[in-house]
Amino acid sequence: MSENTASPKHLPLEALHEEAGARFGAFAGWRMPLTYPAGVMKEHLHTRASAGLFDISHMQLFEVQGPDAARFLSHACPLDAAGLGEGRSKYTVLLNDEAGIIDDLIVTRLGAELFMVVANAGNAATDEAHFRAIAEDFNVSFEPLERVLLALQGPDAEAVLIAAGLDLSDLVFMSGTEPKDGWFAARSGYTGEDGFEVALPVDEAERFARKLIADERVEWIGLAARDSLRLEAGLCLHGQDLDQTTDPASAAILWAIPKAVREGGGFVGAQALGAILAKGASQKRVGLKPEGRQPVRAGALLVNEAGEAVGRVTSGGFGPSVGHPVAMGYVDKQLSEPGTRLFTEVRGNRIALDVHSLPFTPQRYHKG
């Protein structure tokens, strides 16, 4: 294994996290807060009960603007960007020619010729190069933005933002707006809870973050609890549950690609995806509930009763809200029905897992 000598990128609000007692670790090339003094379990449960504040400034915002903006995005992604109403957001994917998932994204339409794209940290450079190559054939500008991105998640999120002077109560799940000059806000998130993501200029961010964290309902939440929250909610992590070797059908995210778009083609990877759909995916992403209290981690091999390899775990850990281990992985299609019993090995011990429907916890998005 070669040693990565590249120094990590630093969050603009890093000093604020150090002040809060964060324990840091490397993630996607960034020095990120993993946990705070309360610990993963309390951070997780606090988000579900009240309001958790996440610094996700490692993620990349791209502004897409110009007469061909909608046409460009509908070619780059399996997306009907022209049919996306102003202020509406859509979960989509960036595919390669083989229909492998380069990244999963959220695209928000902010104007007739203006869109915001939110991309994952580890893929930002790859995404940008891919988008720019496609943009050469369109009358469009594609620009990365330098912003602090904060996510406030949980049942108290809306009230906390109002108390801090930012009223986003008009937004419903998967909608967005520009509340101030240089700001972008969306009602979405990665926890299964109601919540918001707010991007704002770096020089305004510390004051706003301090205002939020001063509210007794708010606690800083690190990457470790972010992972357990999204896993309970059945949400994918690119680089684990999704990558360029997985396609939208196998990943069970075909719901993100409208049928008319799938049938119409015209997007990168359309031919390959059509062939996969015609043949049928051989594997499927499923939820997995291990027996007992021992978590099963990413990379674990899944076998059937006879000990034959039938899949792999891509994400796994303990679910604090449900009180038992939770996992996701890919299994042979014929074994993807909930209740199907599979097995894996952890430290020499055989552990049984049952295929489980997703999500593990009810999603509580504000749909209006």
Side-chain angles (χ1 to χ4, degrees):
M1 192 164 79
S2 63
E3 188 180 346
N4 183 4
T5 52
S7 28
K9 297 177 186 172
H10 293 262
L11 298 173
L13 299 182
E14 185 175 77
L16 209 55
H17 301 297
E18 288 176 338
E19 190 182 301
R23 183 172 67 83
F24 290 83
F27 177 79
W30 289 77
R31 183 175 185 253
M32 295 293 295
L34 301 181
T35 59
Y36 296 85
V40 181
M41 183 79 78
K42 285 183 178 173
E43 290 173 38
H44 178 115
L45 295 173
H46 183 86
T47 304
R48 294 255 185 261
S50 191
L53 182 61
F54 305 73
D55 187 341
I56 52 171
S57 306
H58 62 308
M59 296 182 74
Q60 182 64 58
L61 272 67
F62 296 109
E63 188 178 78
V64 181
Q65 195 163 13
D68 288 347
R71 208 161 59 83
F72 160 71
L73 284 169
S74 296
H75 178 62
C77 304
L79 174 73
D80 177 15
L84 195 61
E86 200 164 312
R88 299 300 303 175
S89 304
K90 182 83 173 73
Y91 175 81
T92 188
V93 286
L94 196 60
L95 301 179
N96 60 26
D97 289 334
E98 290 75 47
I101 302 168
I102 297 170
D103 202 1
D104 58 338
L105 315 162
I106 292 185
V107 175
T108 304
R109 186 174 205 154
L110 293 170
E113 299 181 355
L114 177 64
F115 293 80
M116 191 71 77
V117 177
V118 182
N120 287 302
N123 305 324
T126 305
D127 292 358
E128 184 172 354
H130 187 83
F131 272 122
R132 285 199 186 283
I134 296 169
E136 289 176 5
D137 297 327
F138 295 87
N139 184 2
V140 69
S141 70
F142 181 85
E143 296 304 326
L145 301 181
E146 192 178 335
R147 297 286 186 273
V148 164
L149 186 56
L150 299 172
L152 188 68
Q153 300 281 295
D156 289 335
E158 180 185 289
V160 166
L161 284 177
I162 290 171
L166 185 62
D167 188 345
L168 298 174
S169 56
D170 285 349
L171 294 182
V172 293
F173 179 59
M174 294 303 279
S175 64
T177 186
E178 292 180 293
K180 301 179 187 181
D181 187 39
W183 290 47
F184 166 69
R187 196 162 196 161
S188 61
Y190 197 46
T191 60
E193 298 297 324
D194 181 26
F196 302 84
E197 294 180 337
V198 181
L200 65 163
V202 174
D203 60 359
E204 299 176 57
E206 184 180 338
R207 182 171 166 270
F208 183 64
R210 285 192 183 279
K211 194 182 282 191
L212 293 177
I213 209 68
D215 191 308
E216 62 183 12
R217 294 167 289 187
V218 179
E219 296 286 345
W220 280 116
I221 311 296
L223 272 190
R226 181 171 165 84
D227 195 53
S228 57
L229 287 158
R230 68 93 192 168
L231 184 49
E232 283 186 345
L235 303 174
C236 295
L237 173 62
H238 196 282
Q240 286 189 202
D241 310 299
L242 307 174
D243 59 32
Q244 294 202 44
T245 69
T246 56
D247 64 86
S250 305
I253 54 170
L254 269 181
W255 53 265
I257 308 174
K259 194 178 177 192
V261 171
R262 295 202 300 262
E263 292 172 349
F267 56 88
V268 174
Q271 198 172 340
L273 182 59
I276 290 165
L277 294 177
K279 185 182 174 187
S282 60
Q283 287 206 320
K284 186 181 175 187
R285 178 178 63 91
V286 296
L288 297 160
K289 182 186 175 186
E291 262 195 351
R293 306 284 292 175
Q294 175 68 54
V296 173
R297 302 295 179 184
L301 184 70
L302 296 170
V303 299
N304 61 14
E305 185 72 61
E308 299 160 330
V310 294
R312 72 193 191 282
V313 175
T314 52
S315 286
F318 191 79
S321 305
V322 294
H324 59 72
V326 290
M328 285 197 296
Y330 285 79
V331 300
D332 291 348
K333 190 74 179 286
Q334 68 270 23
L335 298 173
S336 62
E337 286 301 310
T340 303
R341 174 137 295 197
L342 301 170
F343 302 89
T344 191
E345 211 172 88
V346 177
R347 299 194 195 100
N349 297 319
R350 192 186 204 210
I351 290 181
L353 317 87
D354 290 329
V355 174
H356 194 282
S357 55
L358 293 170
F360 293 97
T361 51
Q363 293 172 340
R364 297 193 288 184
Y365 304 127
H366 178 75
K367 297 193 175 179

